[in-house]
Amino acid sequence: MRCDKCRREAILFQRYSGLHLCRDHFLSDFEAKAKRAIRNYRWVSPGDRIGVAMSGGKDSSALFSFLHHLFEGRRDISLIGLTIDEGIAGYRKPDEVRSFVESYGQKWAGTSFLAEYGTTVDAIVSSRGDRLSCSYCGVLRRTALNRLARDAGVTKLAMGFNLDDEAQSVLMNILRGDTERLLRRNTPVPMMVTRVKPFMHIPEREVALYAYLTLGSVPESRCPYIHGALRAGVRDLLNDYTFHHPSTKYALIRVKEGLTAEDQVSAPPPYQLCPRCGEPSGPVCGTCRILDEVKKTD
Ligand code: SF4
């Protein structure tokens, strides 16, 4: 197959656009999409310190590398890698993430569930089973990451979420009937660092290809509790459907963007600060509730 833009050998066929792309045109298409997202959402401003949430996997490593190259000439914008170790044996490797970040001459900071909460995902699973491990882990990680970012002076928290992640989240919220999350806007909340997602319009397999072409092979470790995640089932369902309807994931993103557009929602969701831990939360602080539950069974 030949590239539709230059007739060189194509390395990718984008089913949703109908285009065959060679290496160079794929890289420029990819980076144009990420830059467009940053520009359209006004995600980066002069003076920003961007914290990149780093798991060590391909998505976050590619995002860090992309942002480093995008802003390396800008003295008014700084970058830092951030890692949370959930305490899952053999899964996270914070030292390797730190080395990766420091190889770019950038700073890194990390913390763990053990340091933040006195427990780990492994300990929670051994006392309560793994049925809710992802629900607990997600809430606790969000709080720990926000706190770590705030303490590091971060003004924008960059997440490696791709189109598949975003589309899955929209579909999960629909399937759960969670209208509060479906309608939640990315409005500034006191003490909550604003999240930005430069790869949110780029399919997962293109992020993997970009990571491979720019970084080489990035070793991926698999969380042993992933099978319990509702997301895993939704991912399979969505991938099956998208095989026949290639633009479905983009359609789901448009649903979310349409529902949360400025003129569609009259008031931001009711965030407040938890009286116990002082972190931003909904009416009931999910982090404190989980910690009470898991400590009861320790
Ligand atoms: Fe946490 Fe679930 Fe992700 Fe494992 S798969 S890191 S338990 S959210």
Side-chain angles (χ1 to χ4, degrees):
M1 283 296 169
R2 298 277 144 196
C3 175
D4 287 312
K5 295 190 184 264
C6 69
R7 308 311 298 161
R8 275 183 290 180
E9 190 185 350
I11 60 164
L12 173 79
F13 175 54
Q14 287 178 333
R15 295 185 70 232
Y16 55 90
S17 71
L19 289 177
H20 296 88
L21 296 174
C22 66
R23 182 184 190 281
D24 290 353
H25 280 110
F26 163 68
L27 291 175
S28 61
D29 176 77
F30 183 101
E31 293 180 355
K33 281 184 180 130
K35 287 180 196 168
R36 197 179 310 129
I38 292 173
R39 196 172 52 243
N40 287 351
Y41 291 103
R42 298 191 180 90
W43 270 336
V44 178
S45 314
D48 267 339
R49 179 166 178 73
I50 305 172
V52 184
M54 306 274 304
S55 66
K58 61 181 177 357
D59 293 14
S60 58
S61 300
L63 178 60
F64 187 87
S65 174
F66 167 75
L67 290 173
H68 168 81
H69 292 299
L70 185 61
F71 294 119
E72 65 182 332
R74 294 274 301 263
R75 290 176 162 221
D76 58 338
I77 291 174
S78 61
L79 210 58
I80 180 170
L82 304 170
T83 304
I84 304 296
D85 182 352
E86 298 91 342
I88 300 169
Y91 182 47
R92 292 278 182 246
K93 299 188 174 75
D95 290 344
E96 290 180 12
V97 182
R98 178 181 196 148
S99 303
F100 174 85
V101 168
E102 289 180 348
S103 73
Y104 285 79
Q106 302 284 7
K107 293 200 176 346
W108 176 88
T111 188
S112 65
F113 279 17
L114 195 58
E116 297 290 322
Y117 307 122
T119 190
T120 63
V121 171
D122 281 342
I124 292 172
V125 169
S126 75
S127 65
R128 296 185 66 84
D130 65 2
R131 199 175 62 82
L132 292 174
S133 54
C134 290
S135 306
Y136 290 160
C137 178
V139 172
L140 298 180
R141 183 175 50 227
R142 186 179 172 91
T143 300
L145 184 59
N146 187 57
R147 195 181 291 152
L148 179 66
R150 231 175 33 222
D151 291 349
V154 165
T155 54
K156 299 286 165 54
L157 182 54
M159 312 294 294
F161 295 143
N162 56 49
L163 174 71
D164 295 55
D165 297 322
E166 291 298 301
Q168 288 157 19
S169 296
V170 175
L171 188 55
M172 277 163 59
N173 290 333
I174 292 171
L175 294 176
R176 284 194 295 227
D178 191 341
T179 46
E180 193 275 319
R181 271 179 200 271
L182 197 58
L183 296 174
R184 189 180 287 171
R185 289 169 60 193
N186 196 15
T187 45
V189 174
M191 296 185 61
M192 182 84 87
V193 182
T194 300
R195 294 179 168 225
V196 304
K197 305 173 211 173
F199 291 172
M200 69 175 281
H201 292 135
I202 304 175
E204 182 176 23
R205 76 181 191 118
E206 292 185 31
V207 177
L209 180 58
Y210 181 79
Y212 177 72
L213 294 174
T214 55
L215 304 173
S217 68
V218 178
E220 288 277 348
S221 45
R222 191 176 158 83
C223 174
Y225 309 124
I226 186 83
H227 57 86
L230 169 63
R231 186 176 284 274
V234 169
R235 183 186 54 218
D236 293 345
L237 188 150
L238 196 49
N239 284 344
D240 282 350
Y241 192 80
T242 306
F243 184 77
H244 299 289
H245 306 279
S247 57
T248 298
K249 291 170 187 169
Y250 285 104
L252 283 166
I253 300 284
R254 282 200 299 279
V255 167
K256 169 80 180 172
E257 290 178 338
L259 287 172
T260 56
E262 295 274 334
D263 54 351
Q264 292 291 326
V265 181
S266 53
Y271 281 103
Q272 55 198 47
L273 299 185
C274 170
R276 275 177 59 188
C277 70
E279 292 294 324
S281 69
V284 178
C285 176
T287 302
C288 290
R289 180 180 52 76
I290 287 171
L291 291 173
D292 284 346
E293 279 178 33
V294 300
K295 282 179 179 160
K296 242 188 276 165
T297 52
D298 275 351

